[in-house]
Amino acid sequence: MASISYLRSSDESRILGLGDLGANGMGIPIGKLSLYCAAGGIAPHRVLPVVIDAGTDNEDLLDDDFYMGVQKRRLKGPDYFQLVDEFMQAVKHRWPNVLVQFEDFSSDKAQILLNHYRDDHLCFNDDIQGTGATTLAGVLGALRAKGETVNDLGNQRIVIAGAGSAGIGVAQVLMQAMLEQGRTPEEAKDCFYVVDATGLLGVEQNDALSPEQRTFTKEVDGGMPLDEVVKKYKPTMLLGMTGVGGLFKEEIVREMAEHCERPVLFPLSNPTIKAECTAEQAFEWTNGKCIFASGSPFDPVSIDGKTFYPTQCNNSEYTYTIHTHDTAHRFTCGIEIICL
Amino acid sequence: MSQFKECNLFLTLKLFLLSVYIFPGLGLGATLCGATRVSDKMLYVAAEALANFVSDEELGEGKVFPSLTKIRDVSRCVAVAVIEQAMEEGQAAKMNGVKIDDLDAYVHKKMYDPVYVPLVEKREISI
């Protein structure tokens, strides 16, 4: 049984910003599972870190005599999916109730795998679903800070700056939540104004957009720039996922505070230089009225003697120091959670 | 060589994540109740439970997430929400026919605590 600890399965094709680590990415699932134990109260002998070693495209590792993974190029296409499928089947056969957490699969494969397995395996993808749920929780928390309840999500007017995968991903999560709260798809859609570099997404752009982006196009005012959208539609929430530092200019932020008692400002891009505005700017320009969460860390801000604590809302950076434990006692019980 | 050493002895990792508020509780809830899949609604109730966990005091300070020091309570709260949702969807295989009055206490009892359990009884020694 203990041999299973060396079953190095997971495709570490996308680890944070670290690139292709091949089998050396083993530390990531170990770290994630340590959090299951520390934060979730799952017994350590009930979790199993796995790396699917589908090869690596990292030239340094391919030449490294001490690299412990398979020194071949990454499997591609059907061969790759066959390998993952064999793993999924085997794992379900061995531990029928196991929860598989997918992590750090490159984005072209992550969604395909999740869609394929989510209906008949107990599994989820933390990069897609975990991050989505966390952002949703941040937005719902902001509603409570405004003095509303979490069920008021459908009453918001939400401007999303950035129509890339991050921006659209957040829009989809929020829209799904509105549907769960009993709104119709049309009502939910009306809450969103998605703006990218060419302005508000309009129906006339439909041919050039992906199906996901097309959900959020507007009948009128296509191409309207961000500041005018904010002025005209008076949003209650302004979320930024553009990676364009300083995009939320003073007049935009002030306009938010003008028409809104407690405007919600979430510049979610990181690192700090790419944040759409800083915490200090947001609190200063709104006289401390805004509810602020960011993708980059900011220090607390003091205005008129009152201190405001900016929340870091996604991709927060923590450093964990992990001692590897003696694994001898690890496989005494059934495994409950596998982290890929 | 340095990579090899690091991986085996002492591992310092930088993890970029805040989903630590969601996934431990989600995993705990899903495995405790024997859920057969993770539905969209389960993710939604997990996010809702997290948002509702933030205290009024924290909201007043402008925070929209609870303090990380309360992470175990957050996870328990998320787990309870996930289990309730799984039961509603008829997916909680391990909960079928089981009547639990206090789900929160049940989850609390099932959580692992990293405390040292002595293998032998202590004795007086004179050395």
Side-chain angles (χ1 to χ4, degrees), chain A residues 10-302:
Chain A
S10 172
D11 157 335
E12 297 289 347
S13 51
R14 186 220 80 126
I15 294 179
L16 318 168
L18 303 176
D20 184 345
L21 290 189
N24 286 346
M26 191 61 186
I28 306 292
I30 294 175
K32 266 289 165 94
L33 288 171
S34 303
L35 288 174
Y36 265 111
C37 303
I42 312 261
H45 59 260
R46 288 187 173 268
V47 300
L48 177 68
V50 175
V51 171
I52 294 180
D53 188 356
T56 178
D57 287 338
N58 183 328
E59 300 296 336
D60 293 343
L61 294 179
L62 288 171
D63 291 337
D64 186 348
D65 289 342
F66 291 99
Y67 177 60
M68 298 201 296
V70 176
Q71 283 184 307
K72 286 182 183 166
R73 298 241 158 231
R74 276 189 178 279
L75 284 179
K76 299 253 154 45
D79 287 347
Y80 172 80
F81 289 110
Q82 202 65 51
L83 175 71
V84 177
D85 190 64
E86 196 180 333
F87 171 78
M88 291 299 284
Q89 277 197 60
V91 116
K92 196 172 181 185
H93 176 73
R94 179 62 185 81
W95 296 292
N97 297 321
V98 73
L99 169 72
V100 180
Q101 176 176 331
F102 296 112
E103 184 99 31
D104 290 319
F105 282 77
S106 59
S107 49
D108 55 324
K109 298 168 199 149
Q111 193 70 52
I112 299 174
L113 289 171
L114 179 65
N115 292 348
H116 192 266
Y117 291 108
R118 66 172 301 181
D119 285 332
D120 38 55
H121 286 255
L122 180 62
C123 65
F124 72 100
N125 182 308
D126 196 51
D127 301 316
I128 299 174
Q129 296 168 300
T131 310
T134 311
T135 311
L136 172 62
V139 170
L140 296 179
L143 290 182
R144 288 190 58 221
K146 272 157 71 91
E148 300 176 40
T149 70
V150 294
N151 288 319
D152 288 316
L153 186 61
N155 301 332
Q156 309 300 315
R157 293 179 302 280
I158 304 168
V159 168
I160 293 181
S165 59
I168 294 296
V170 166
Q172 285 177 318
V173 168
L174 295 181
M175 184 166 156
Q176 184 65 35
M178 289 177 190
L179 301 183
E180 303 288 4
Q181 292 178 351
R183 306 277 164 165
T184 66
E186 282 69 33
E187 284 172 340
K189 252 174 69 173
D190 284 345
C191 298
F192 294 95
Y193 303 86
V194 181
V195 182
D196 71 358
T198 61
L200 186 67
L201 291 192
V203 283
E204 59 278 6
Q205 285 169 276
N206 270 358
D207 294 340
L209 298 174
S210 70
E212 292 80 19
Q213 290 171 319
R214 226 171 285 155
T215 320
F216 298 101
T217 52
K218 292 284 177 193
E219 297 283 343
V220 289
D221 290 333
M224 189 186 248
L226 180 63
D227 50 344
E228 285 176 37
V229 171
V230 170
K231 214 169 271 172
K232 177 166 181 188
Y233 291 102
K234 306 197 183 320
T236 53
M237 297 188 157
L238 180 55
L239 315 183
M241 269 138 300
T242 54
V244 180
L247 181 76
F248 295 170
K249 296 202 170 33
E250 183 166 351
E251 58 268 26
I252 295 178
V253 175
R254 285 197 187 277
E255 173 61 35
M256 288 292 292
E258 196 71 27
H259 64 249
C260 198
E261 183 58 33
R262 301 287 314 267
V264 176
L265 287 172
F266 280 15
L268 293 173
S269 298
N270 58 6
T272 312
I273 50 161
K274 288 189 176 172
E276 285 81 359
C277 69
T278 67
E280 204 176 347
Q281 290 168 337
F283 286 115
E284 196 190 309
W285 292 338
T286 61
N287 295 322
K289 288 194 328 187
C290 74
I291 297 149
F292 180 92
S294 60
S296 311
F298 286 109
D299 291 328
V301 177
S302 288

